[in-house]
Amino acid sequence: MTEKTPPAGPGEQQRALLDAAVRAPSSHNTQPWLFRLEHDAVHLFADRTRALPVNDPDDRELTISCGCALLNLRVAAAAAGLRAACRLLPDDAAEDLLATVHLAPGSDVAGDAALAGEIGRRRTLRKRFDDRAVPPAVLRDLLRAVEDEGAWAVVVDDDARRQAVAGLVSEGDAMQWSSPHWRRELAQWMHPRRRGDGLALAGIAAPLAQVVVRTVDMGTGVGAKDHALAENSPLLLAIGTAGDSSEDWLRAGQALERLLLVACSHGLQAGYLNQPVQVPALRHRLQHQLGHDGFPQLLLRLGYCDDPGEASPRRPLDAVLATAADGWHEPR
């Protein structure tokens, strides 16, 4: 008689959920999250040692990135037959504690389990997409995914508005690249792939690329390339929220990741053109172009690509696990 493998204990099961959570996208692939495991819960913390003080001085994108990881955790829990009861910002005295997810048998979220398989297929693309339009039915699914997480989405669909938004993207590139501090921060996150984080480069190319980025203002060339990407992508879309608080940012991150997983289920991938949101002087102008009173949080392009390439590297799971001994305490 074949001996059955004993079922994984709660700790092992939660670690499997975290393996899905950490595959979320993050600015510069910083992976700015930590998790503390309890017997029936996962606590999500912001790891501010991995912040981007120049590119993201308010930790807005850091928090959005953690929201993406939170959505992956919820989806993976559903696939494991678990109900994930999520509480955002559960402790006013613990600023870094962003969410607590209590886990119990019996998932009740229809459709989430089916998205779990897309977590490992999702990519961030920086090249042009194929020249194929996104069908209206698929677009409706994408917009619904954002709305399901309490955020809003606006499609930049007419030529005049797309030109205007593309202009904001290239203007943002010029403003960011003109800053030596911004270039230095970008260079610091250009790592050999074996490091497991950052903007992965071939090991031999990383030192040279860092020197070039630190010393050369490439804003004009990068801006022209990004302008073309904004103009020519099959779908250009902004995600926003009613407010602009940490809770709103967490909701934006969950909305983004749900959209990305739904997009992936339809064969779509995404890339980011967030410069008009990252540069405060341009954010209001983007809001005006979108014609929405809320706060734009993300600008992304979506399309089809037959060869999305390999996934960005990830740190070992043990590197994102926190304990009380590390100073990460259970919420009150």
Side-chain angles (χ1 to χ4, degrees):
M1 183 173 68
T2 302
E3 184 177 350
K4 292 183 178 180
T5 302
E12 295 176 11
Q13 186 179 59
Q14 289 173 332
R15 287 174 66 94
L17 300 183
L18 297 191
D19 183 64
V22 300
R23 296 178 188 273
S26 58
S27 297
H28 293 4
N29 193 27
T30 52
Q31 304 168 47
W33 39 64
L34 287 168
F35 302 87
R36 185 180 173 203
L37 305 181
E38 301 292 335
H39 71 283
D40 63 348
V42 179
H43 306 292
L44 167 63
F45 295 88
D47 184 353
R48 303 192 197 276
T49 67
R50 307 181 73 78
L52 300 169
V54 181
N55 189 66
D56 183 30
D58 298 321
D59 286 351
R60 183 185 61 83
E61 289 194 352
L62 181 152
T63 308
I64 289 174
S65 300
C66 289
C68 291
L70 179 58
L71 191 281
N72 275 2
L73 178 62
R74 291 167 50 201
V75 166
L82 297 172
R83 180 182 296 112
C86 180
R87 184 181 174 194
L88 302 181
L89 306 174
D91 188 345
D92 292 339
E95 182 183 2
D96 292 338
L97 178 59
L98 299 181
T100 292
V101 181
H102 290 281
L103 301 168
S107 174
D108 58 359
V109 183
D112 274 13
L115 291 177
E118 308 302 335
I119 292 174
R121 289 192 280 268
R122 183 207 60 79
R123 300 286 188 271
T124 296
L125 267 62
R126 296 174 178 85
K127 58 184 178 181
R128 291 187 62 159
F129 294 118
D130 298 341
D131 188 19
R132 296 164 54 192
V134 177
V138 174
L139 178 56
R140 286 194 294 271
D141 284 351
L142 299 177
L143 297 179
R144 188 180 306 115
V146 173
E147 293 166 359
D148 285 348
E149 295 300 328
W152 52 262
V154 171
V155 177
V156 184
D157 50 7
D158 66 83
D159 291 342
R161 187 163 59 166
R162 183 177 281 235
Q163 279 283 342
V165 171
L168 293 177
V169 171
S170 59
E171 190 174 345
D173 278 324
M175 295 173 73
Q176 289 178 325
W177 279 90
S178 69
S179 166
H181 301 291
W182 185 89
R183 297 200 307 269
R184 190 176 302 119
E185 183 176 82
L186 176 63
Q188 287 172 349
W189 285 95
M190 301 175 76
H191 297 159
R193 188 175 182 84
R194 64 178 180 273
R195 285 280 298 271
D197 64 1
L199 304 170
L201 299 170
I204 194 171
L208 177 60
Q210 289 175 329
V211 171
V212 171
V213 167
R214 281 196 299 264
T215 57
V216 180
D217 179 354
M218 295 186 287
T220 300
V222 173
K225 179 182 177 181
D226 287 343
H227 192 289
L229 289 176
E231 278 189 299
N232 299 316
S233 293
L235 180 60
L236 186 64
L237 179 148
I239 294 175
T241 51
D244 203 26
S245 65
S246 294
E247 182 172 348
D248 291 301
W249 302 338
L250 284 170
R251 294 192 186 283
Q254 291 176 92
L256 169 64
E257 188 67 354
R258 183 173 292 280
L259 176 144
L260 295 177
L261 297 183
V262 170
C264 200
S265 74
H266 288 291
L268 293 162
Q269 296 288 356
Y272 302 94
L273 296 168
N274 284 324
Q275 298 88 329
V277 187
Q278 294 167 340
V279 178
L282 302 180
R283 196 178 184 196
H284 180 72
R285 290 166 57 188
L286 176 63
Q287 180 189 47
H288 175 73
Q289 290 297 330
L290 297 175
H292 200 289
D293 292 336
F295 293 85
Q297 304 291 353
L298 300 141
L299 181 65
L300 61 157
R301 57 191 189 91
L302 295 103
Y304 298 96
C305 179
D306 291 334
D307 180 20
E310 60 183 328
S312 298
R314 288 296 183 269
R315 296 187 291 157
L317 195 58
D318 287 344
V320 301
L321 289 174
T323 67
D326 299 319
W328 303 97
H329 301 291
E330 187 174 358
R332 297 177 300 178

